[in-house]
Coordinates of all heavy atoms in Angstrom, one line a residue:
M1 N 3.0 -27.5 17.6 CA 1.6 -27.2 17.6 C 1.0 -27.5 19.0 O 0.1 -26.8 19.4 CB 0.9 -28.0 16.6 CG 1.2 -27.6 15.1 SD 0.6 -25.9 14.8 CE -1.1 -26.2 14.5
A2 N 1.5 -28.5 19.7 CA 1.0 -28.9 21.0 C 1.2 -27.8 22.0 O 0.4 -27.5 22.9 CB 1.6 -30.2 21.4
V3 N 2.4 -27.2 21.9 CA 2.7 -26.1 22.9 C 1.8 -24.9 22.7 O 1.3 -24.3 23.6 CB 4.2 -25.7 22.7 CG1 4.5 -24.5 23.6 CG2 5.1 -26.9 23.0
I4 N 1.5 -24.6 21.4 CA 0.6 -23.5 21.1 C -0.8 -23.8 21.6 O -1.4 -22.9 22.2 CB 0.7 -23.2 19.6 CG1 2.0 -22.7 19.2 CG2 -0.4 -22.2 19.2 CD1 2.2 -22.6 17.7
A5 N -1.2 -25.0 21.3 CA -2.6 -25.4 21.8 C -2.7 -25.4 23.3 O -3.7 -24.9 23.9 CB -2.9 -26.8 21.3
A6 N -1.6 -25.9 24.0 CA -1.6 -25.9 25.5 C -1.6 -24.4 26.0 O -2.3 -24.1 27.0 CB -0.4 -26.6 26.0
G7 N -0.9 -23.5 25.4 CA -0.9 -22.1 25.8 C -2.2 -21.5 25.6 O -2.7 -20.8 26.5
T8 N -2.8 -21.8 24.5 CA -4.2 -21.2 24.2 C -5.2 -21.7 25.2 O -6.0 -20.9 25.7 CB -4.6 -21.5 22.8 OG1 -3.6 -21.0 21.9 CG2 -5.9 -20.9 22.4
L9 N -5.2 -23.0 25.4 CA -6.2 -23.6 26.4 C -5.9 -23.1 27.8 O -6.9 -22.8 28.5 CB -6.1 -25.1 26.3 CG -6.6 -25.8 25.1 CD1 -6.4 -27.3 25.1 CD2 -8.1 -25.5 24.9
S10 N -4.7 -22.9 28.2 CA -4.5 -22.4 29.5 C -4.9 -20.9 29.6 O -5.5 -20.5 30.7 CB -3.0 -22.5 29.9 OG -2.2 -21.7 29.0
L11 N -4.7 -20.1 28.6 CA -5.2 -18.7 28.6 C -6.8 -18.7 28.7 O -7.3 -17.9 29.4 CB -4.7 -17.9 27.4 CG -3.3 -17.5 27.5 CD1 -2.9 -16.9 26.2 CD2 -3.0 -16.6 28.6
I12 N -7.4 -19.5 27.9 CA -8.9 -19.6 28.0 C -9.3 -20.0 29.4 O -10.3 -19.5 29.9 CB -9.4 -20.6 26.9 CG1 -9.2 -19.9 25.5 CG2 -10.9 -20.9 27.1 CD1 -9.5 -20.9 24.3
G13 N -8.6 -21.0 30.0 CA -9.0 -21.4 31.3 C -8.9 -20.3 32.3 O -9.7 -20.1 33.2
I14 N -7.8 -19.6 32.2 CA -7.6 -18.4 33.2 C -8.7 -17.4 32.9 O -9.2 -16.8 33.9 CB -6.2 -17.8 33.0 CG1 -5.1 -18.8 33.4 CG2 -6.0 -16.5 33.7 CD1 -3.7 -18.4 33.1
W15 N -9.0 -17.1 31.7 CA -10.0 -16.1 31.4 C -11.4 -16.5 31.9 O -12.1 -15.8 32.6 CB -10.1 -15.9 29.9 CG -11.1 -15.0 29.4 CD1 -11.3 -13.7 29.7 CD2 -12.2 -15.3 28.5 NE1 -12.4 -13.2 29.1 CE2 -13.0 -14.1 28.3 CE3 -12.6 -16.5 27.9 CZ2 -14.1 -14.1 27.5 CZ3 -13.7 -16.4 27.0 CH2 -14.5 -15.2 26.9
V16 N -11.8 -17.8 31.7 CA -13.0 -18.3 32.2 C -13.1 -18.3 33.8 O -14.1 -17.9 34.4 CB -13.3 -19.7 31.7 CG1 -14.5 -20.4 32.4 CG2 -13.6 -19.7 30.2
A17 N -12.0 -18.6 34.4 CA -11.9 -18.7 35.9 C -11.9 -17.3 36.5 O -12.5 -17.1 37.6 CB -10.7 -19.4 36.3
S18 N -11.4 -16.3 35.8 CA -11.3 -15.0 36.4 C -12.5 -14.0 36.1 O -12.7 -13.1 36.8 CB -10.0 -14.3 35.9 OG -10.0 -14.1 34.5
I19 N -13.2 -14.3 35.1 CA -14.4 -13.4 34.7 C -15.6 -13.9 35.5 O -16.0 -15.1 35.4 CB -14.7 -13.5 33.2 CG1 -13.5 -13.1 32.4 CG2 -15.9 -12.7 32.8 CD1 -13.2 -11.6 32.5
P20 N -16.3 -13.0 36.2 CA -17.5 -13.4 37.0 C -18.6 -13.7 36.0 O -18.7 -13.2 34.9 CB -17.8 -12.2 37.8 CG -17.0 -11.1 37.3 CD -15.9 -11.6 36.5
K21 N -19.5 -14.6 36.5 CA -20.6 -15.0 35.6 C -21.6 -13.9 35.4 O -22.2 -13.8 34.3 CB -21.4 -16.2 36.3 CG -20.5 -17.4 36.5 CD -20.2 -18.1 35.2 CE -19.4 -19.3 35.5 NZ -18.6 -19.8 34.4
K22 N -21.9 -13.0 36.3 CA -22.9 -12.0 36.2 C -22.2 -10.6 35.9 O -22.7 -9.6 36.4 CB -23.7 -11.9 37.5 CG -24.4 -13.1 37.8 CD -25.7 -13.2 37.1 CE -26.5 -14.4 37.6 NZ -27.8 -14.4 37.1
M23 N -21.2 -10.6 35.1 CA -20.5 -9.3 34.8 C -21.4 -8.5 33.9 O -21.9 -9.0 32.9 CB -19.2 -9.6 34.1 CG -18.4 -8.3 34.0 SD -16.7 -8.7 33.5 CE -16.8 -8.5 31.8
P24 N -21.7 -7.2 34.2 CA -22.5 -6.3 33.3 C -21.7 -6.0 32.0 O -20.5 -5.8 32.0 CB -22.7 -5.1 34.1 CG -21.6 -5.0 35.1 CD -21.2 -6.5 35.4
Y25 N -22.5 -6.0 31.0 CA -21.9 -5.8 29.6 C -22.2 -4.4 29.2 O -23.3 -3.9 29.2 CB -22.4 -6.8 28.6 CG -22.0 -6.5 27.2 CD1 -20.7 -6.8 26.8 CD2 -22.8 -5.9 26.3 CE1 -20.2 -6.5 25.6 CE2 -22.4 -5.7 25.0 CZ -21.1 -6.0 24.6 OH -20.6 -5.7 23.4
R26 N -21.2 -3.6 28.7 CA -21.4 -2.3 28.2 C -20.7 -2.3 26.8 O -19.5 -2.6 26.7 CB -20.7 -1.2 29.0 CG -21.5 -1.0 30.3 CD -21.0 0.2 31.1 NE -19.5 0.4 30.9 CZ -18.9 1.5 31.3 NH1 -19.6 2.5 31.9 NH2 -17.7 1.7 31.1
A27 N -21.4 -1.9 25.8 CA -20.9 -1.8 24.5 C -19.9 -0.6 24.4 O -20.2 0.4 24.9 CB -22.0 -1.7 23.4
K28 N -18.8 -0.8 23.7 CA -17.8 0.2 23.5 C -18.0 0.9 22.2 O -18.5 0.3 21.2 CB -16.4 -0.4 23.6 CG -16.1 -1.0 24.9 CD -15.8 0.0 25.9 CE -15.3 -0.7 27.2 NZ -15.0 0.2 28.3
S29 N -17.6 2.1 22.1 CA -17.6 2.8 20.8 C -16.6 2.3 19.9 O -15.4 2.0 20.2 CB -17.4 4.3 21.1 OG -17.4 5.0 19.9
Y30 N -16.9 2.3 18.6 CA -16.0 1.8 17.5 C -15.3 3.0 16.9 O -14.5 2.8 15.9 CB -16.7 1.0 16.5 CG -17.1 -0.3 17.0 CD1 -18.5 -0.6 17.2 CD2 -16.2 -1.3 17.3 CE1 -18.9 -1.9 17.6 CE2 -16.6 -2.5 17.7 CZ -17.9 -2.8 17.9 OH -18.3 -4.0 18.4
V31 N -15.4 4.2 17.3 CA -14.9 5.4 16.7 C -13.4 5.4 16.7 O -12.7 5.6 15.6 CB -15.5 6.7 17.3 CG1 -14.8 7.9 16.7 CG2 -17.0 6.8 17.1
F32 N -12.8 5.2 17.8 CA -11.3 5.3 17.9 C -10.6 4.1 17.1 O -9.7 4.4 16.3 CB -10.8 5.2 19.4 CG -9.4 5.3 19.5 CD1 -8.7 6.4 19.3 CD2 -8.7 4.1 20.0 CE1 -7.3 6.5 19.4 CE2 -7.3 4.2 20.1 CZ -6.6 5.3 19.8
P33 N -11.1 2.9 17.2 CA -10.4 1.9 16.3 C -10.6 2.1 14.8 O -9.6 1.9 14.1 CB -11.1 0.6 16.7 CG -11.7 0.8 18.1 CD -12.0 2.3 18.1
V34 N -11.7 2.6 14.4 CA -11.9 2.9 13.0 C -11.0 4.1 12.6 O -10.4 4.0 11.5 CB -13.4 3.3 12.7 CG1 -13.6 3.9 11.3 CG2 -14.3 2.1 12.9
I35 N -10.9 5.1 13.4 CA -9.9 6.2 13.0 C -8.5 5.7 13.0 O -7.7 6.1 12.1 CB -10.1 7.4 14.0 CG1 -11.5 8.0 13.9 CG2 -9.0 8.4 13.9 CD1 -11.8 9.1 14.9
L36 N -8.1 4.9 13.9 CA -6.8 4.3 13.9 C -6.5 3.5 12.7 O -5.4 3.5 12.1 CB -6.6 3.5 15.2 CG -5.2 3.0 15.5 CD1 -4.3 4.2 15.8 CD2 -5.2 2.1 16.7
C37 N -7.5 2.6 12.3 CA -7.3 1.8 11.1 C -7.2 2.6 9.8 O -6.4 2.4 9.0 CB -8.5 0.8 11.0 SG -8.4 -0.5 12.2
I38 N -8.0 3.7 9.7 CA -8.0 4.5 8.5 C -6.7 5.3 8.5 O -6.1 5.4 7.4 CB -9.2 5.5 8.5 CG1 -10.5 4.7 8.3 CG2 -9.0 6.6 7.5 CD1 -11.7 5.6 8.5
G39 N -6.2 5.8 9.6 CA -4.9 6.5 9.6 C -3.8 5.5 9.3 O -2.9 5.9 8.5
T40 N -3.8 4.3 9.8 CA -2.7 3.4 9.4 C -2.7 3.0 8.0 O -1.7 2.9 7.3 CB -2.8 2.1 10.3 OG1 -2.8 2.5 11.7 CG2 -1.7 1.1 10.0
A41 N -3.9 2.8 7.4 CA -4.1 2.5 6.0 C -3.6 3.6 5.1 O -2.9 3.4 4.1 CB -5.5 2.1 5.7
A42 N -3.9 4.8 5.5 CA -3.4 6.0 4.8 C -1.9 6.1 4.8 O -1.3 6.4 3.8 CB -4.1 7.3 5.3
L43 N -1.3 5.9 6.0 CA 0.1 5.9 6.0 C 0.8 4.9 5.2 O 1.8 5.1 4.5 CB 0.6 5.8 7.5 CG 0.5 7.0 8.4 CD1 0.9 6.6 9.8 CD2 1.4 8.1 7.9
M44 N 0.2 3.7 5.2 CA 0.8 2.6 4.4 C 0.6 2.8 2.9 O 1.5 2.3 2.2 CB 0.2 1.2 4.9 CG 0.6 0.8 6.3 SD -0.2 -0.7 6.8 CE 0.6 -1.9 5.9
S45 N -0.4 3.4 2.5 CA -0.6 3.6 1.1 C 0.1 4.8 0.5 O 0.5 4.9 -0.6 CB -2.1 3.6 0.8 OG -2.7 4.8 1.3
C46 N 0.2 5.9 1.3 CA 0.8 7.1 0.8 C 2.3 7.3 0.9 O 2.9 7.9 0.1 CB 0.1 8.3 1.6 SG -1.6 8.5 1.2
Y47 N 2.8 6.7 2.0 CA 4.3 6.9 2.2 C 5.1 5.9 1.5 O 4.6 5.0 0.9 CB 4.6 6.9 3.7 CG 4.2 8.2 4.4 CD1 3.0 8.3 5.1 CD2 5.0 9.3 4.2 CE1 2.7 9.5 5.7 CE2 4.6 10.5 4.8 CZ 3.5 10.6 5.6 OH 3.2 11.8 6.1
Y48 N 6.4 6.1 1.7 CA 7.4 5.2 1.0 C 7.2 3.8 1.2 O 6.9 3.4 2.4 CB 8.8 5.7 1.5 CG 9.9 5.0 0.8 CD1 10.2 5.2 -0.5 CD2 10.8 4.2 1.6 CE1 11.2 4.6 -1.1 CE2 11.9 3.6 0.9 CZ 12.1 3.8 -0.4 OH 13.1 3.2 -1.0
Q49 N 7.3 2.9 0.2 CA 7.0 1.5 0.3 C 7.8 0.7 1.3 O 7.3 -0.2 1.9 CB 7.2 0.9 -1.1 CG 6.2 1.4 -2.2 CD 4.8 0.9 -2.0 OE1 4.6 -0.2 -1.4 NE2 3.8 1.6 -2.4
D50 N 9.0 1.1 1.5 CA 9.9 0.3 2.4 C 9.8 0.7 3.9 O 10.5 0.2 4.7 CB 11.4 0.5 2.0 CG 11.7 -0.3 0.7 OD1 11.0 -1.3 0.5 OD2 12.7 0.0 0.0
W51 N 8.9 1.7 4.2 CA 8.7 2.1 5.6 C 8.2 0.9 6.4 O 8.6 0.8 7.6 CB 7.6 3.1 5.6 CG 8.1 4.5 5.9 CD1 9.2 5.0 5.4 CD2 7.5 5.5 6.7 NE1 9.3 6.3 5.9 CE2 8.3 6.6 6.6 CE3 6.3 5.5 7.4 CZ2 7.9 7.8 7.3 CZ3 6.0 6.7 8.0 CH2 6.8 7.8 8.0
F52 N 7.4 0.1 5.9 CA 6.8 -1.0 6.7 C 7.4 -2.3 6.4 O 6.8 -3.4 6.6 CB 5.3 -1.1 6.5 CG 4.6 0.2 6.9 CD1 4.3 1.2 6.1 CD2 4.3 0.4 8.3 CE1 3.7 2.4 6.5 CE2 3.7 1.5 8.7 CZ 3.4 2.5 7.8
S53 N 8.6 -2.3 5.9 CA 9.4 -3.6 5.7 C 10.5 -3.7 6.7 O 10.6 -2.8 7.6 CB 10.0 -3.6 4.3 OG 11.1 -2.6 4.2
I54 N 11.2 -4.7 6.7 CA 12.3 -5.0 7.7 C 13.6 -4.3 7.3 O 14.5 -4.2 8.2 CB 12.5 -6.5 7.9 CG1 13.2 -6.7 9.2 CG2 13.2 -7.1 6.7 CD1 13.2 -8.2 9.6
S55 N 13.7 -3.7 6.1 CA 15.0 -3.2 5.7 C 15.5 -2.0 6.6 O 16.7 -1.9 6.9 CB 15.0 -2.8 4.2 OG 14.0 -1.9 4.0
P56 N 14.6 -1.0 7.0 CA 15.2 0.0 7.9 C 15.7 -0.5 9.2 O 16.7 -0.1 9.7 CB 13.9 0.9 8.1 CG 13.1 0.7 7.0 CD 13.3 -0.7 6.6
L57 N 15.0 -1.6 9.7 CA 15.5 -2.2 11.0 C 16.8 -2.8 10.8 O 17.7 -2.7 11.7 CB 14.4 -3.2 11.5 CG 14.8 -3.9 12.8 CD1 14.9 -3.0 13.9 CD2 13.7 -5.0 13.0
L58 N 17.0 -3.5 9.7 CA 18.3 -4.1 9.4 C 19.4 -3.1 9.3 O 20.5 -3.3 9.7 CB 18.2 -5.0 8.1 CG 17.4 -6.2 8.2 CD1 17.3 -6.9 6.8 CD2 17.9 -7.2 9.2
R59 N 19.1 -1.9 8.7 CA 20.1 -0.9 8.6 C 20.5 -0.4 10.0 O 21.7 -0.1 10.3 CB 19.6 0.3 7.8 CG 19.5 -0.1 6.3 CD 19.0 1.1 5.5 NE 18.7 0.7 4.2 CZ 17.8 1.2 3.4 NH1 17.1 2.3 3.9 NH2 17.5 0.8 2.2
V60 N 19.6 -0.2 10.9 CA 19.9 0.2 12.3 C 20.7 -0.8 13.0 O 21.7 -0.5 13.7 CB 18.6 0.5 13.0 CG1 18.8 0.8 14.5 CG2 17.9 1.7 12.4
I61 N 20.4 -2.1 12.8 CA 21.1 -3.2 13.5 C 22.6 -3.2 13.0 O 23.5 -3.4 13.7 CB 20.4 -4.5 13.2 CG1 19.1 -4.6 14.0 CG2 21.3 -5.7 13.7 CD1 18.2 -5.8 13.7
R62 N 22.8 -3.0 11.6 CA 24.1 -3.0 11.1 C 24.9 -1.8 11.6 O 26.1 -1.9 11.8 CB 24.0 -2.9 9.6 CG 23.6 -4.2 9.0 CD 23.7 -4.2 7.5 NE 23.0 -5.4 6.9 CZ 22.2 -5.3 5.9 NH1 21.9 -4.2 5.3 NH2 21.6 -6.5 5.5
L63 N 24.3 -0.7 11.9 CA 25.0 0.5 12.5 C 25.6 0.2 13.8 O 26.7 0.7 14.2 CB 24.1 1.7 12.6 CG 23.8 2.4 11.3 CD1 22.7 3.5 11.5 CD2 25.0 3.1 10.7
F64 N 24.8 -0.6 14.6 CA 25.3 -0.8 16.0 C 26.1 -2.1 16.2 O 26.4 -2.5 17.3 CB 24.1 -0.9 16.9 CG 23.4 0.5 17.1 CD1 22.2 0.7 16.5 CD2 24.1 1.4 17.8 CE1 21.6 2.0 16.7 CE2 23.5 2.7 18.0 CZ 22.3 3.0 17.4
R65 N 26.4 -2.8 15.1 CA 27.3 -4.0 15.2 C 28.7 -3.7 15.5 O 29.3 -2.8 15.3 CB 27.2 -4.7 13.9 CG 26.3 -5.9 14.0 CD 26.7 -7.0 13.0 NE 25.8 -7.0 11.9 CZ 25.9 -7.6 10.8 NH1 27.0 -8.4 10.6 NH2 25.1 -7.6 9.9

């Protein structure tokens, strides 16, 4: 846990040090992330159940052994 905490704190430190204080803020559109989430949810619910499991990956690894 200490390693994870140290990594997180170092990334926050780098982020704070590299972002200027007076950076202008522009809101981004949420259209693309929403479409991506809906598409992923549709694929996960409509297609074969084992598509998003580790079993196809294990079959490929066994082929190349």
Side-chain angles (χ1 to χ4, degrees):
M1 291 295 282
V3 173
I4 295 170
T8 303
L9 290 175
S10 64
L11 285 175
I12 290 172
I14 292 169
W15 177 59
V16 168
S18 65
I19 301 291
K21 299 288 183 204
K22 300 275 184 170
M23 189 168 94
Y25 176 74
R26 289 189 327 169
K28 298 283 184 179
S29 175
Y30 289 111
V31 174
F32 181 69
V34 168
I35 291 171
L36 191 64
C37 288
I38 291 171
T40 304
L43 282 174
M44 289 177 73
S45 64
C46 295
Y47 282 103
Y48 186 62
Q49 294 286 333
D50 285 338
W51 254 38
F52 296 97
S53 70
I54 196 168
S55 61
L57 179 63
L58 291 176
R59 289 182 192 150
V60 171
I61 291 171
R62 285 184 192 138
L63 283 174
F64 290 109
R65 257 205 258 171

